[in-house]
């Protein structure tokens, strides 16, 4: 027989409820799921979504020997924005930067807020050289963008660490750690730069 929205189907010990795509309950569950994988402030992917995506991409990279790059971005002197202009300005900078960067992300890539003022961009099928080129374009995009909030023009730059997945890496955490180390190199060498 044809299933109707709300019908229950038993498969072994599991009972499933069929919901039509137009169903309000289905839309509610989709929204709840979206909220679990999106950062509330910036609306880009959150750490949970990042971890799930990285698990899949690292496994794929390892299995097929494909390139996988990770960019870790940090807003330079972000604490000064919050201290001098207030947290509303800081929130604006985070949202604006996230949307600016996210517009450049292709469908097979993932841009996520990692925490505080740090973001991560995962680039499947990308070499170190390609990732550095991408990172430099992103750095310039942010540096040249006009951030303005409540009559305040805010100068924003980012530092970026770039790493690629290596065969001796045991987990996605190793890739994140490598990019984080490069990020700190960029910070130590003067900020507003890319380190690989």
């Amino acid at each position: 027989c044809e299933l109707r929205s709300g019908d229950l189907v038993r498969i072994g010990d599991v009972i499933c409820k069929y919901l039509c795509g137009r169903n309000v309950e289905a839309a509610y569950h989709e929204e709840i799921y979206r909220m679990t994988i999106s950062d509330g402030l910036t609306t880009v992917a959150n750490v949970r979504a990042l971890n799930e995506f990285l698990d899949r991409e690292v496994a794929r990279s390892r299995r097929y020997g494909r390139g996988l790059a990770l960019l870790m971005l940090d807003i330079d002197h972000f604490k000064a924005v919050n201290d001098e202009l207030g947290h509303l300005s800081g929130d604006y900078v985070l949202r604006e930067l996230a949307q600016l960067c996210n517009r450049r992300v292709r469908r097979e890539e993932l841009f996520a807020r990692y925490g505080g003022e740090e973001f991560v961009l995962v680039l499947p099928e990308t070499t170190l050289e390609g990732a550095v080129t991408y990172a430099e374009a992103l750095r310039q995009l942010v540096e040249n963008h006009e951030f303005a909030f409540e009559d305040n023009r805010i100068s924003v730059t980012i530092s970026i660490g770039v790493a690629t997945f290596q065969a001796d890496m045991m987990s996605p955490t190793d890739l994140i750690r490598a990019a984080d180390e490069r990020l700190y190199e960029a910070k130590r060498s003067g900020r507003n730069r890319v380190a690989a």
Side-chain angles (χ1 to χ4, degrees), residues 88-178:
L88 291 178
S89 294
D91 287 352
Y92 160 77
V93 167
L94 289 170
R95 280 192 306 272
E96 184 74 7
L97 180 122
Q99 296 313 307
L100 180 67
C101 292
N102 202 37
R103 283 194 291 270
R104 293 203 32 118
V105 175
R106 294 181 292 246
R107 185 180 197 165
E108 63 276 5
E109 301 166 345
L110 181 78
F111 185 72
R113 185 172 181 198
Y114 192 66
E117 68 272 16
E118 288 185 332
F119 295 86
V120 168
L121 178 57
V122 183
L123 304 171
E125 306 284 335
T126 306
T127 63
L128 181 61
E129 182 181 325
V132 168
T133 300
Y134 195 123
E136 183 57 31
L138 214 54
R139 186 199 64 74
Q140 289 177 18
L141 178 71
V142 172
E143 182 180 35
N144 296 326
H145 184 74
E146 184 175 313
F147 290 81
F149 181 74
E150 292 183 348
D151 300 327
N152 292 311
R153 294 184 70 194
I154 306 167
S155 176
V156 177
T157 61
I158 56 174
S159 297
I160 306 175
V162 180
T164 54
F165 183 72
Q166 304 297 313
D168 63 342
M169 291 181 172
M170 302 303 293
S171 71
T173 305
D174 295 331
L175 180 58
I176 292 171
R177 186 177 296 113

Side-chain angles (χ1 to χ4, degrees), residues 174-187:
D174 295 331
L175 180 58
I176 292 171
R177 186 177 296 113
D180 195 40
E181 288 169 4
R182 301 308 174 292
L183 171 62
Y184 280 97
E185 282 178 28
K187 292 278 194 185

Side-chain angles (χ1 to χ4, degrees), residues 74-78 81 155 157-159 187 191-193:
D74 186 73
I75 301 173
D76 298 326
H77 305 294
F78 183 70
V81 173
S155 176
T157 61
I158 56 174
S159 297
K187 292 278 194 185
R191 292 184 167 83
N192 190 23
R193 62 192 66 223

Side-chain angles (χ1 to χ4, degrees), residues 4-25:
R4 291 174 301 181
S5 189
D7 285 351
L8 300 177
V9 178
R10 183 177 178 158
I11 303 169
D13 292 339
V14 178
I15 298 176
C16 301
K17 184 175 184 179
Y18 173 74
L19 298 174
C20 176
R22 295 179 303 271
N23 185 295
V24 173
E25 190 174 354

